[in-house]
Amino acid sequence: DYVGANGYYTPIVSYVELQVDNPNVKDLEIVDTPGLNDPIVSRGIKTKQFLRSCDVVLLLSPCSQFMDARTVNLMANSLPSAGVREILVIGSKLDSGILNESNRDFRIAYKAALRSYNMQFNKNLAQAKNAGKHLDILNKMDAEKVLFVSSTSYLINQKLRSDHSLDESEQKVYDNFHAAFSNFEDKYFAPLGGIENV
């Protein structure tokens, strides 16, 4: 009711705060923003206020539209120049990106997908830098440190290791990988997940 897309109170909620009793995140504040393009103006303003006090910003972009020129420019225009020390760029839904590759050898498709996303990001980042605006933010986006993740692959790997059943969507991804690549092995779901790297 408070944060869902169709939530009754969603239009008047500027942010929600949760506390977790977990020693792994002691003394850390993790802010999951709704994004900088949120249609509810108050949340967009609150996002910018939070970002001014962040040490590290994780920019999450789906691999299907990985850091296209519009996204790079939006980030450069929206992120505050003060406060942010480091920006990490993360490509999500890597599993979908690899399945879209035409090569039927998993290792080749995996490398081709990563190379393609990195080249696209490097090109769009260079174009944004050439415009000469927001260089303080753009220079914090290191194209050499881009990380890629697949939460679905991560969950599949966890469930396979603990002998739990996959849900319907996980099973579909599992079946798609084995159908698409003759040399695909279950052990590849672990590096595809990429969560440990983040």
Side-chain angles (χ1 to χ4, degrees):
D1 285 344
Y2 290 88
V3 296
N6 297 317
Y8 182 77
Y9 299 108
T10 298
I12 61 170
V13 173
S14 61
Y15 74 97
V16 174
E17 188 172 314
L18 302 173
Q19 295 183 7
V20 179
D21 185 16
N22 183 330
N24 293 321
V25 292
K26 186 177 187 226
D27 299 325
L28 288 177
E29 282 188 49
I30 301 170
V31 179
D32 182 10
T33 69
L36 296 163
N37 260 349
D38 195 293
I40 298 175
V41 176
S42 64
R43 286 201 300 254
I45 292 168
K46 188 59 79 174
T47 294
K48 289 182 181 184
Q49 289 171 348
F50 274 123
L51 288 172
R52 283 191 192 99
S53 62
C54 288
D55 297 313
V56 178
V57 172
L58 305 176
L59 294 179
L60 194 62
S61 178
C63 286
S64 60
Q65 300 171 338
F66 185 61
M67 293 304 284
D68 57 24
R70 184 183 153 281
T71 302
V72 171
N73 286 318
L74 174 67
M75 294 303 119
N77 290 325
S78 302
L79 288 171
S81 57
V84 177
R85 288 194 300 220
E86 187 173 1
I87 298 173
L88 294 176
V89 177
I90 302 172
S92 65
K93 302 180 182 178
L94 178 59
D95 52 305
S96 298
I98 294 170
L99 287 168
N100 286 333
E101 289 293 322
S102 59
N103 198 298
R104 297 300 88 191
D105 181 295
F106 172 73
R107 291 176 205 91
I108 294 172
Y110 176 80
K111 289 177 184 175
L114 295 187
R115 186 172 46 252
S116 171
Y117 301 138
N118 279 311
M119 285 174 48
Q120 177 178 328
F121 177 48
N122 280 323
K123 180 184 116 192
N124 293 329
L125 185 59
Q127 285 177 348
K129 285 180 177 182
N130 284 339
K133 296 179 182 175
H134 311 291
L135 291 176
D136 49 345
I137 290 296
L138 294 170
N139 286 331
K140 292 177 185 175
M141 293 183 196
D142 188 347
E144 302 302 314
K145 290 185 180 179
V146 175
L147 301 172
F148 295 94
V149 298
S150 163
S151 57
T152 302
S153 296
Y154 176 79
L155 291 172
I156 290 171
N157 179 61
Q158 297 291 76
K159 288 183 176 182
L160 291 175
R161 288 176 52 204
S162 61
D163 206 27
H164 285 85
S165 299
L166 304 178
D167 70 22
E168 186 178 333
S169 63
E170 294 161 349
Q171 187 66 52
K172 184 173 182 176
V173 170
Y174 179 91
D175 293 342
N176 286 344
F177 268 98
H178 282 282
F181 307 108
S182 59
N183 62 341
F184 187 82
E185 299 177 38
D186 287 353
K187 66 181 182 182
Y188 296 143
F189 282 115
L192 267 177
I195 301 298
E196 289 82 5
N197 294 334
V198 175

